[in-house]
Amino acid sequence: MTDTIAFYHNPQSRGRIVHWMLEEAGAPYEIKVVDFEKKEHKSDAYLAINPMGKIPAIVHRGTVVTECAAICAYLADAFPAAGLAPKLDDPQRGTYLRWLFFGAGCLEPAIIDQMFSRPPPSRPTAMGYGNYADTINTLEKALSPGPYVLGERFSAADVYLGSAIGWALSMKALEPRSVFGAYLGHIGQRPAYQRAMAQSEALAKKGN
Ligand SMILES: N[C@@H](CCC(=O)N[C@@H](CS)C(=O)NCC(=O)O)C(=O)O
């Protein structure tokens, strides 16, 4: 069984989160570009991997992993030498999981609602993220004083949160607070981030 990760990617997608994570992890991977225009993500072959018909997905040692946050957590654990997740007995493990799940469970839906100008929910108590303002204020607190969500220590949670914040700011779905700008400033200096973005940009230019 090959150890190389098959990475189903489209550079115009959340696949960039996983691309960056693969580079941070130092994982061996092979990109399999899935063309949206040709509807390859809805082909039988791809639906057999991810029945949601969504990008990204990885296959590693015969196991499929989908959902960006889960992929980040999986890769951090599968490649421990990169030190991207606190170990099971490290008290920071709880904080790490907390913000990784907050990213996928609260921040993402709050950003999407904002992006599509959805009206505020009539019953915020039934919404996992409550409301946009609480979510963003909580995020700002979590990233203060930084530089990362675990303080000095960079982790896979930053790959997810940093990607979501960068995307939301570019889509004007997040107000540009100084804490978010400083956070992205640190992330932008990471060589793995720069490598992944350069590769994805090159793929995007090729028309994928
Ligand atoms: N919850 C998924 C979301 C994945 C997702 O929505 N991917 C989008 C691109 S960013 C997609 O594949 N859209 C194509 C479609 O739904 O047809 C994750 O975290 O990986």
Side-chain angles (χ1 to χ4, degrees):
M1 193 174 291
T2 172
D3 215 39
T4 300
I5 295 168
F7 169 35
Y8 294 86
H9 182 37
N10 183 295
Q12 314 279 16
S13 81
R14 289 170 176 84
R16 286 196 185 212
I17 304 173
V18 170
H19 201 169
W20 174 20
M21 184 65 202
L22 286 161
E23 286 291 327
E24 290 283 357
Y29 67 95
E30 186 189 343
I31 295 179
K32 299 189 182 290
V33 174
V34 182
D35 191 319
F36 281 146
E37 284 190 11
K38 291 185 189 155
K39 298 257 177 264
E40 286 176 351
H41 56 311
K42 305 298 179 192
S43 67
D44 288 346
Y46 187 72
L47 290 173
I49 294 163
N50 185 1
M52 290 290 284
K54 284 188 172 284
I55 303 298
I58 63 166
V59 182
H60 186 215
R61 298 175 183 153
T63 295
V64 172
V65 191
T66 64
E67 305 308 314
C68 290
I71 297 172
C72 287
Y74 173 84
L75 291 173
D77 291 344
F79 297 88
L84 296 167
K87 294 200 169 54
L88 293 183
D89 61 353
D90 183 332
Q92 276 203 313
R93 179 84 180 179
T95 312
Y96 157 76
L97 289 173
R98 175 186 179 190
W99 295 115
L100 184 57
F101 280 66
F102 174 87
C106 297
L107 181 59
E108 231 239 25
I111 288 170
I112 297 283
D113 279 2
Q114 192 74 1
M115 198 176 293
F116 293 105
S117 309
R118 291 198 193 139
S122 54
R123 283 180 57 216
T125 50
M127 300 291 290
Y129 72 84
N131 63 58
Y132 176 80
D134 285 352
T135 305
I136 301 314
N137 290 336
T138 300
L139 178 68
E140 182 178 39
K141 243 187 217 165
L143 297 176
S144 306
Y148 298 118
V149 76
L150 297 180
E152 291 299 325
R153 179 173 185 174
F154 179 82
S155 71
D158 295 300
V159 174
Y160 192 87
L161 291 175
S163 300
I165 290 171
W167 181 54
L169 284 173
S170 73
M171 301 300 285
K172 301 202 183 328
L174 183 64
E175 52 200 67
R177 299 186 185 177
S178 61
V179 167
F180 303 146
Y183 185 55
L184 291 189
H186 290 293
I187 278 167
Q189 288 168 26
R190 297 190 65 82
Y193 175 84
Q194 293 171 359
R195 281 196 304 274
M197 292 311 129
Q199 286 174 31
S200 272
E201 276 307 315
L203 280 176
K205 279 206 184 96
K206 270 182 21 193
N208 286 294

